């Protein structure tokens, strides 16, 4: 059976609401580490982290450089830094130039996640007002990972989901709730021991 | 073996070639970001494989010069993290004021935005005249830009906003002169700055500093190189000297952790213990 090792999410304008919904669905024993790039103001305070921690059964934090990626955690790219994943499954941060006018950029995270997790990766694009993440999602799909896009008709801002779909990177187009349920189901299934 | 694994070999060989041919050591850089830079550079050159660049970099020095520029420029802005500069003003300057002269090292100054921010801050505090500021980088074209102090005028709006958030209450316009679509930093700000080439990965200790700023440089290094550089900083600081890192960098888990006291956790300002 296919075994996923991590979830990466890209989200921009309108992200607070849909992330609150999605993250609050994940149960305490959800085993896949979740890594999120949300476009925020560069000097954003850590209010959003406290907000998500209140709503989510998992531990939510900004990723620190060289921090080991662990199960049971939801990591956000710190505002004004790109977030990358190293071979030993720890985080790197960079101040490199913006990609798609964005730092952090969804594409940067997704590309480096593919380098490390290959096909064992679930990529998700939610609401947003630019096309960051379209390339990265397609890359995940091409490498055999699972790719989900929030239904543009439901998204607060449809541009980012639409761009991801247009680039041909979507395995499935779902509502936020369906995405949450699918994640829980997949995780449960791969946690259940298989007797043969 | 997958293409991805083959590419990893290619990148290792490429960085080894650069090191042995030119002495620039990128082998202890954080792998994920150096891989991004190699790929971006590859795309610009028109080659399709990283290994194709090896003979080119070995025999073509100007190819290497372009590579260094691409590999090392970090994008920065004036008064990046205004809150940090506010803290420098309020927590570090009162100490510096007590010394007859002040030596400061801005390590990894890139194109100079930060060192000019510091010069402005020191001018306003009346400390600049008794200061010597060393701004170093291993990237010569970036150093040249830093020395010129010319920036696109479109960035000035952000610079001004940051300056104000950093506690600046004068007119930011007095620090630059605008011409066409550029601004040049005022000559006065350059007076006490010495720009010099220094490579943190290979070069040695740098004078007896009262303050060292090295923000968002260590994030590009692996743990081993981070420790090398941090020891270098420790040995280059006077007792009670200050070390400022990027807001996402830390001495925690480093070799010099016990040699410093954290005095501003949010802005990562450390003071060397006596």
């Amino acid at each position: 059976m296919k075994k996923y090792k991590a979830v990466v999410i890209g989200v921009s304008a309108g992200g607070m609401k849909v992330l609150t919904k999605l993250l609050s669905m994940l149960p305490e024993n959800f085993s896949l580490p979740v890594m999120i790039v949300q476009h925020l103001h560069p000097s954003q305070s850590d209010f959003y982290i406290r907000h998500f921690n209140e709503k989510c059964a998992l531990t939510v934090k900004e990723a620190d450089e060289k921090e080991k990626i662990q199960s049971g955690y939801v990591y956000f790219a710190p505002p004004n830094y790109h977030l990358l994943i190293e071979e030993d499954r720890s985080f790197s941060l960079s101040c490199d130039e913006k990609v798609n006018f964005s730092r952090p950029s969804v594409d940067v995270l997704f590309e480096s996640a593919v380098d490390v997790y290959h096909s064992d990766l679930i990529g998700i694009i939610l609401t947003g007002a630019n096309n960051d993440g379209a390339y990265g999602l397609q890359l995940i799909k091409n490498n055999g990972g699972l790719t989900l896009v929030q239904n543009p008709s439901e998204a607060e801002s449809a541009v980012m989901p639409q761009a991801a779909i247009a680039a041909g990177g979507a395995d499935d187009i779902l509502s936020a709730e369906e995405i949450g349920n699918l994640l829980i189901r997949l995780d449960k299934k791969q946690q259940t021991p298989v007797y043969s | 073996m997958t293409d991805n694994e083959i590419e990893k070999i290619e990148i290792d060989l490429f960085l080894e070639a650069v090191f042995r041919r030119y002495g620039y050591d990128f082998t202890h850089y954080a792998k994920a970001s150096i891989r991004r830079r190699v790929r971006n550079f590859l795309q610009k050159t028109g080659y399709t494989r990283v290994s194709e660049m090896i003979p080119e970099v070995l025999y073509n020095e100007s190819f290497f010069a372009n590579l260094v520029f691409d590999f090392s420029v970090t994008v920065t802005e004036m008064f990046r993290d205004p809150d940090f500069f506010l803290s420098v003003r309020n927590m570090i300057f009162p100490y510096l004021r007590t010394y007859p002269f002040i030596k400061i090292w801005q390590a990894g100054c890139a194109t100079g935005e930060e060192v000019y921010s510091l010069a402005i801050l020191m001018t306003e505090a009346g400390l600049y005249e008794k200061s010597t500021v060393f701004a170093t980088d291993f990237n010569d074209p970036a150093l040249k830009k830093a020395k010129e102090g010319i920036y696109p005028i479109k960035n000035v709006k952000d610079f001004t906003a940051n300056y104000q958030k950093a506690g600046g209450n004068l007119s930011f316009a007095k620090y630059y002169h605008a011409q066409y679509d550029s601004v040049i930093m005022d000559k006065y700000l350059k007076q006490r700055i010495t720009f010099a080439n220094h490579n943190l990965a290979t070069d040695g200790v740098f004078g007896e500093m009262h303050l060292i700023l090295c923000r968002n440089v260590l994030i590009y290094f692996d743990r081993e190189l981070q420790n090398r550089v941090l020891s270098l900083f420790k040995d280059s600081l006077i007792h009670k000297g200050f070390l400022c890192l990027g807001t996402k960098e830390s001495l925690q888990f480093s070799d010099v952790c016990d040699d410093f006291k954290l005095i501003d956790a949010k802005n990562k300002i450390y003071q060397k213990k006596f």
Side-chain angles (χ1 to χ4, degrees):
Chain A
M1 192 189 79
K2 174 100 199 159
K3 210 165 156 77
Y4 295 105
K5 303 254 172 63
V7 179
V8 287
I9 300 176
V11 57
S12 186
M16 288 304 283
K17 212 164 135 190
V18 65
L19 277 178
T20 304
K21 183 167 186 179
L22 187 60
L23 294 181
S24 63
M25 287 175 74
L26 301 178
E28 204 177 348
N29 66 349
F30 188 75
S31 75
L32 300 173
V34 180
M35 295 159 258
I36 302 173
V37 162
Q38 183 181 14
H39 299 148
L40 293 166
H41 190 272
S43 57
Q44 169 76 39
S45 76
D46 63 356
F47 164 79
Y48 74 103
I49 294 289
R50 279 181 278 141
H51 166 80
F52 288 129
N53 257 318
E54 277 168 24
K55 305 283 177 194
C56 181
L58 305 165
T59 306
V60 182
K61 70 185 296 291
E62 277 182 9
D64 284 315
E65 69 116 13
K66 303 226 181 341
E67 180 174 10
K68 288 271 183 216
I69 296 168
Q70 294 183 69
S71 165
Y73 279 78
V74 176
Y75 302 95
F76 277 83
N80 219 5
Y81 290 89
H82 290 304
L83 180 64
L84 301 97
I85 299 170
E86 294 286 346
E87 212 58 56
D88 65 355
R89 308 212 172 156
S90 65
F91 289 115
S92 267
L93 301 175
S94 107
C95 299
D96 284 3
E97 62 278 12
K98 293 180 180 181
V99 175
N100 309 316
F101 308 99
S102 310
R103 188 176 52 230
S105 149
V106 181
D107 278 343
V108 171
L109 173 67
F110 282 16
E111 184 176 355
S112 87
V114 166
D115 286 334
V116 173
Y117 292 104
H118 313 291
S119 66
D120 306 334
L121 189 65
I122 302 174
I124 300 169
I125 293 289
L126 301 172
T127 172
N130 72 1
N131 62 5
D132 190 22
Y135 165 78
L137 197 76
Q138 194 189 17
L139 204 63
I140 295 175
K141 187 177 160 72
N142 291 345
N143 279 272
L146 175 68
T147 54
L148 309 172
V149 177
Q150 186 185 14
N151 195 329
S153 67
E154 179 204 76
E156 226 169 285
S157 176
V159 179
M160 207 152 101
Q162 270 165 353
I165 295 163
D171 284 323
D172 220 336
I173 300 161
L174 302 168
S175 72
E177 196 171 340
E178 288 167 328
I179 291 173
N181 285 328
L182 179 57
L183 289 179
I184 296 164
R185 212 164 55 236
L186 285 170
D187 184 55
K188 216 175 198 168
K189 208 160 96 189
Q190 63 184 40
Q191 278 191 61
T192 315
V194 182
Y195 301 100
S196 56
Chain B
M1 202 178 260
T2 64
D3 282 2
N4 199 280
E5 288 164 319
I6 298 170
E7 187 201 46
K8 265 173 220 155
I9 301 174
E10 293 182 284
I11 291 174
D12 285 349
L13 293 174
F14 180 65
L15 297 181
E16 178 70 16
V18 167
F19 177 51
R20 289 183 53 189
R21 170 70 173 83
Y22 299 97
Y24 279 71
D25 193 354
F26 294 103
T27 59
H28 288 285
Y29 275 52
K31 289 275 178 292
S33 45
I34 202 77
R35 185 190 298 148
R36 252 201 91 232
R37 290 186 177 197
V38 171
R39 281 179 185 160
N40 286 348
F41 187 69
L42 176 68
Q43 214 164 30
K44 279 195 219 168
T45 62
Y47 290 112
T48 49
R49 294 213 166 92
V50 176
S51 51
E52 291 165 22
M53 298 196 293
I54 294 174
E56 187 68 19
V57 81
L58 287 173
Y59 291 101
N60 182 349
E61 288 184 16
S62 66
F63 186 83
F64 169 70
N66 289 334
L67 174 144
V68 167
F69 189 70
D70 265 45
F71 271 31
S72 71
V73 167
T74 53
V75 182
T76 183
E77 59 196 83
M78 284 202 192
F79 298 97
R80 180 186 163 125
D81 309 319
D83 198 49
F84 162 75
F85 284 94
L86 197 60
S87 195
V88 169
R89 211 189 271 257
N90 296 333
M91 294 178 80
I92 299 182
F93 282 0
Y95 275 91
L96 296 186
R97 206 176 286 289
T98 63
Y99 296 105
F101 62 89
I102 306 164
K103 282 169 80 179
I104 297 175
W105 179 14
Q106 169 92 47
C109 69
T111 41
E113 287 86 342
E114 187 147 308
V115 76
Y116 286 116
S117 309
L118 187 71
I120 289 170
L121 223 59
M122 302 200 69
T123 303
E124 294 187 1
L127 296 175
Y128 194 48
E129 292 287 337
K130 62 169 177 174
S131 303
T132 307
V133 183
F134 299 92
T136 66
D137 206 282
F138 71 81
N139 179 338
D140 282 325
L143 269 179
K144 188 166 167 272
K145 277 193 179 177
K147 208 182 248 176
E148 287 167 355
I150 298 171
Y151 303 106
I153 207 162
K154 65 177 165 53
N155 295 349
V156 168
K157 206 177 132 207
D158 287 342
F159 291 175
T160 307
N162 281 353
Y163 163 77
Q164 285 159 352
K165 279 187 225 151
N169 41 26
L170 303 173
S171 160
F172 186 66
K174 67 186 276 234
Y175 297 114
Y176 63 82
H177 308 280
Q179 200 166 25
Y180 305 109
D181 48 7
S182 299
V183 297
I184 183 162
M185 301 314 291
D186 191 82
K187 266 206 294 268
Y188 175 83
L189 295 174
K190 298 176 188 176
Q191 247 171 30
R192 316 287 309 168
I193 306 176
T194 304
F195 292 95
N197 187 303
H198 181 279
N199 189 337
L200 290 169
T202 45
D203 292 338
V205 171
F206 215 81
E208 296 191 312
M209 299 293 154
H210 296 80
L211 166 64
I212 296 176
L213 298 99
C214 184
R215 302 174 67 231
N216 298 317
V217 175
L218 295 178
I219 47 173
Y220 291 100
F221 298 165
D222 70 10
R223 192 71 82 193
E224 189 185 331
L225 183 53
Q226 283 183 348
N227 277 322
R228 179 197 194 276
V229 173
L230 288 171
S231 296
L232 196 69
F233 290 160
K234 190 192 88 183
D235 296 339
S236 304
L237 275 174
I238 61 158
H239 292 300
K240 299 258 183 187
F242 294 91
L243 173 63
C244 303
L245 303 178
T247 48
K248 283 287 150 190
E249 293 163 335
S250 149
L251 293 186
Q252 216 188 346
F253 311 122
S254 80
D255 290 351
V256 302
C257 183
D258 296 333
D259 300 300
F260 287 88
K261 193 173 103 187
L262 180 63
I263 62 166
D264 181 340
K266 182 171 173 259
N267 294 304
K268 299 295 154 54
I269 299 175
Y270 294 87
Q271 188 170 26
K272 188 172 155 184
K273 287 181 187 166
F274 195 66

